[in-house]
């Protein structure tokens, strides 16, 4: 064994303890770590010949790289719909690396850690009040979850025409209907060879909404003259957290032939709350659903899961099976995640979620969801009271979409947000909503409190004063 490796092996407990302390120091100091930084490094560092060993590498990390890290797990990081990591999820994430499993099988020699993934999906179905008619698995994020679901939808579409797109390529125009798709769904269409421009945009409901207009949807369906299509709908649009009418869409399933996909990256967790579960009523009739875990479930990046109805299992295998890997066995008889997902290399991504669900239960996550929604409303009301801002849309759940008050301030929005973020106490992201420049604040972090909202409002006020708006 290499001498440096041998030394590290002999010192493994000390190494892990020092790494743990580095993490604890960061988490305990989140309040004082900026949400944005301008630090930089020279990334052309030369690789040394002998190696430093873990302790010296950790020292260099602390000195050179740690200053790049921002307080993204903190309570005032409101950009990108980013959740923080709960203590239980960190335990699961660390142990995923320690045990270092190749998560594939539920019954085979060489490891059956996929049973943990099966159990975790079952727990998630209970959390979200969804039926056991769904099968699921873990991927890196909403993009890969949407890609997985829409990949099977693509295969379904070909199957309706008696064609196997996975084996022979796309030979027909695939009809896609959607109103306000997230960019990850559009990106998935590009990666699947369907084309990022090749979808029909359905009108949205009148009255400052982003949800599908059901009347216009049915009109577009009828214009297809019985041809199959794929519907991409939303459980929580990225700007205003709007929801499509799933009950109405489920009724259309009785009349027309289509694959129904729901992007519920963060909005799906409305199902956990008694106050907000009406927003997803009827979603159990969908063919596939995308849900992120590193958003409102508050586990470390990267974590999301897909749900696809069991009745489509053969189509999923046709889409993703490793047909030239005989060691995987018959995909219909021997379940293996490598035959139903894009990735062949899979860590035990389910474990942080498993720990979280067991640690905090349904009530714990209901508290997180309802507190986030409460804080979003509190923040929105404070913006209105301030007088320098206006809401671009109603607050429906946890996202606040706002801008500087008055059209004459539109050219100042970008400068305002840059200045605000540079102050380092809060981080938000820019957006454009109904052709107006805006700012989006997403409340999903388990640490965020009413005191944080007060701090954020004060930061907004001081930024206004600094820019003399």
């Amino acid at each position: 064994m290499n001498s440096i490796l041998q030394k590290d092996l002999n010192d493994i407990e000390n190494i892990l303890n020092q790494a743990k302390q580095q993490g604890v120091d960061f988490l305990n100091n989140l309040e004082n770590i900026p949400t944005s930084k301008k630090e930089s490094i020279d990334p052309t560092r030369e690789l040394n010949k002998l190696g430093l060993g873990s302790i010296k590498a950790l020292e260099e990390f602390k000195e050179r790289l740690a200053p790049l890290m921002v307080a993204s797990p903190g309570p005032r990081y409101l950009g990108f719909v980013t959740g923080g990591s709960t203590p239980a999820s960190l335990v699961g994430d660390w142990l995923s690396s320690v045990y270092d499993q190749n998560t594939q099988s539920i019954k085979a020699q060489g490891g059956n850690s996929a049973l943990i993934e099966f159990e975790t999906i079952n727990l998630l179905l209970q959390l979200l009040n969804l039926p056991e008619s769904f099968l699921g698995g873990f991927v890196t994020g909403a993009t890969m979850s949407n890609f997985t679901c829409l990949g099977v939808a693509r295969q379904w579409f070909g199957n309706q025409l008696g064609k196997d797109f996975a084996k022979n390529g796309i030979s027909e125009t695939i009809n896609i209907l959607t109103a306000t798709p997230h960019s990850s769904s559009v990106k998935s269409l590009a990666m699947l060879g369907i084309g990022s421009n090749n979808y029909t945009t359905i009108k949205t409901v009148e009255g400052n909404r982003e949800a599908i207009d059901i009347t216009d949807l049915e009109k577009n369906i009828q214009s297809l003259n019985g041809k199959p299509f794929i519907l991409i709908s939303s459980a929580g649009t990225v700007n205003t957290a709007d929801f499509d009418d799933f009950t109405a869409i489920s009724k259309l399933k009785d009349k027309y032939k289509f694959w129904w996909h729901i992007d519920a990256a963060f909005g799906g967790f409305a199902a956990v709350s008694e106050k907000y579960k009406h927003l997803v009523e009827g979603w159990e009739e969908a063919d596939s659903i995308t849900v992120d875990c590193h958003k409102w479930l508050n586990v470390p990046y990267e974590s999301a899961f897909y749900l696809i109805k069991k009745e489509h299992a053969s189509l999923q295998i046709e889409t993703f099976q490793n047909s030239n890997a005989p060691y995987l066995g018959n995909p219909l008889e021997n379940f293996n995640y490598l035959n139903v997902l894009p990735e062949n290399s899979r860590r035990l991504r389910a474990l942080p979620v498993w720990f979280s669900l067991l640690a905090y239960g349904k009530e714990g996550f209901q508290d997180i969801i309802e507190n986030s929604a409460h804080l979003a409303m509190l923040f929105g009301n404070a913006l209105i009271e301030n007088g320098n801002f206006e809401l671009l849309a109603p607050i429906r759940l946890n996202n606040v979409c706002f801008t500087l008050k008055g059209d004459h301030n539109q050219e100042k929005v970008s400068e305002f947000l840059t200045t605000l973020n540079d102050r380092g106490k809060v981080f938000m992201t820019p957006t454009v909503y109904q052709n107006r420049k805006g700012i989006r604040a997403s409340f999903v972090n388990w640490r965020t409190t009413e005191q944080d909202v007060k701090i954020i409002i004060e930061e907004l006020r001081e930024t206004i004063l600094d820019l003399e708006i």
Side-chain angles (χ1 to χ4, degrees):
M1 183 183 291
N2 173 273
S3 60
I4 301 291
L5 270 172
Q6 184 67 62
K7 184 179 178 181
D8 273 2
L9 178 59
N10 295 340
D11 198 30
I12 187 69
E13 185 173 355
N14 177 45
I15 291 168
L16 293 181
N17 279 334
Q18 291 202 35
K20 180 192 75 172
Q21 193 58 51
Q22 174 74 19
V24 169
D25 290 346
F26 174 77
L27 293 174
N28 284 343
N29 196 39
L30 270 179
E31 184 68 27
N32 301 313
I33 296 172
T35 51
S36 291
K37 292 184 179 183
K38 293 184 177 180
E39 278 83 351
S40 184
I41 61 168
D42 178 1
T44 61
R45 185 196 191 284
E46 291 187 9
L47 178 64
N48 57 302
K49 184 176 180 180
L50 297 178
L52 300 176
S54 293
I55 295 297
K56 288 187 177 179
L58 183 59
E59 290 172 358
E60 181 170 332
F61 168 82
K62 188 174 183 179
E63 180 182 342
R64 290 184 61 246
L65 305 187
L68 296 173
M69 306 301 176
V70 299
S72 53
R76 295 188 298 278
Y77 195 91
L78 307 182
F80 308 114
V81 199
T82 304
S85 299
T86 58
S89 71
L90 284 175
V91 172
D93 197 62
W94 284 8
L95 290 178
S96 294
S97 295
V98 169
Y99 284 97
D100 197 20
Q101 299 294 293
N102 182 2
T103 303
Q104 304 179 19
S105 174
I106 58 173
K107 53 176 183 178
Q109 291 181 319
N112 292 321
S113 60
L115 284 168
I116 298 171
E117 193 159 337
F118 263 54
E119 178 167 304
T120 307
I121 291 294
N122 177 56
L123 293 171
L124 285 165
L125 290 175
Q126 295 176 56
L127 179 72
L128 300 175
N129 295 308
L130 284 169
E132 294 180 359
S133 53
F134 286 99
L135 282 174
F138 284 85
V139 289
T140 56
T143 302
M144 288 311 298
S145 184
N146 280 321
F147 178 86
T148 301
C149 294
L150 294 173
V152 183
R154 183 189 68 176
Q155 188 70 358
W156 171 88
F157 188 94
N159 183 263
Q160 304 308 301
L161 305 176
K163 301 192 175 185
D164 188 336
F165 287 169
K167 283 186 177 179
N168 303 315
I170 300 174
S171 56
E172 303 285 342
T173 298
I174 300 179
N175 304 308
I176 309 284
L177 304 183
T178 187
T180 316
H182 187 264
S183 60
S184 62
S185 289
V186 177
K187 183 176 182 177
S188 295
L189 296 181
M191 293 191 294
L192 288 164
I194 296 171
S196 58
N197 288 332
N198 291 334
Y199 61 87
T200 299
T201 302
I202 306 301
K203 292 179 182 178
T204 54
V205 179
E206 291 184 2
N208 201 352
R209 297 289 304 279
E210 292 186 293
I212 288 173
D213 183 308
I214 298 298
T215 300
D216 190 57
L217 173 60
E218 186 158 20
K219 179 181 176 181
N220 276 271
I221 293 173
Q222 290 171 348
S223 70
L224 291 172
N225 296 318
K227 294 178 183 177
F229 67 95
I230 298 167
L231 175 67
I232 302 175
S233 63
S234 299
T237 55
V238 70
N239 275 328
T240 70
D242 206 352
F243 286 71
D244 291 327
D245 186 339
F246 299 145
T247 300
I249 294 173
S250 64
K251 291 178 180 178
L252 292 177
K253 286 278 280 182
D254 296 330
K255 298 170 62 177
Y256 305 101
K257 183 183 294 185
F258 63 98
W259 180 286
W260 179 17
H261 173 63
I262 299 177
D263 184 340
F266 69 90
F269 288 104
V272 182
S273 166
E274 290 297 318
K275 292 182 180 179
Y276 299 107
K277 67 180 183 179
H278 66 278
L279 294 171
V280 293
E281 186 175 346
W283 73 326
E284 68 276 1
E285 300 300 324
D287 295 286
S288 59
I289 302 174
T290 286
V291 184
D292 261 352
C293 299
H294 55 234
K295 290 186 170 65
W296 230 340
L297 202 65
N298 282 254
V299 305
Y301 272 106
E302 346 147 305
S303 181
F305 62 98
Y306 72 87
L307 295 172
I308 298 176
K309 284 284 178 65
K310 291 178 181 179
E311 64 190 79
H312 303 307
S314 60
L315 292 173
Q316 191 169 357
I317 290 170
E318 288 174 14
T319 305
F320 295 113
Q321 68 178 316
N322 287 262
S323 56
N324 62 339
Y327 53 86
L328 296 177
N330 185 322
L332 290 171
E333 296 176 1
N334 302 307
F335 180 87
N336 191 303
Y337 270 114
L338 274 62
N339 283 322
V340 296
L341 284 175
E343 302 157 311
N344 276 2
S345 301
R346 307 182 72 247
R347 77 192 301 260
L348 186 50
R349 199 172 282 114
L351 201 55
V353 177
W354 184 91
F355 265 93
S356 299
L357 294 172
L358 263 67
Y360 308 121
K362 192 160 188 174
E363 285 192 10
F365 286 104
Q366 178 174 319
D367 287 345
I368 291 173
I369 273 68
E370 293 182 356
N371 182 59
S372 296
H374 165 69
L375 294 175
M377 189 63 69
L378 190 69
F379 177 59
N381 289 336
L383 288 174
I384 295 170
E385 290 173 7
N386 179 279
N388 291 299
F389 306 95
E390 60 179 297
L391 297 180
L392 289 173
I395 299 172
R396 300 185 177 93
L397 190 61
N398 66 312
N399 278 5
V400 182
C401 190
F402 67 102
T403 192
L404 295 175
K405 193 169 187 178
D407 289 339
H408 63 287
N409 280 323
Q410 274 289 288
E411 72 275 8
K412 300 178 183 177
V413 173
S414 296
E415 181 187 8
F416 171 83
L417 181 58
T418 299
T419 304
L420 174 70
N421 286 340
D422 280 346
R423 292 173 64 89
K425 289 288 186 69
V426 60
F427 178 77
M428 302 181 194
T429 43
T431 191
V432 175
Y433 181 71
Q434 295 186 346
N435 297 315
R436 296 186 71 191
K437 291 181 180 179
I439 299 170
R440 191 190 67 191
S442 298
F443 289 82
V444 288
N445 191 294
W446 63 282
R447 293 174 179 264
T448 310
T449 66
E450 292 188 7
Q451 180 59 32
D452 289 302
V453 173
K454 292 179 181 178
I455 293 171
I456 294 165
I457 291 296
E458 180 61 21
E459 287 296 302
L460 293 172
R461 188 188 70 80
E462 292 186 10
T463 304
I464 288 283
L465 293 175
D466 288 345
L467 295 178
E468 297 181 347
I469 295 175

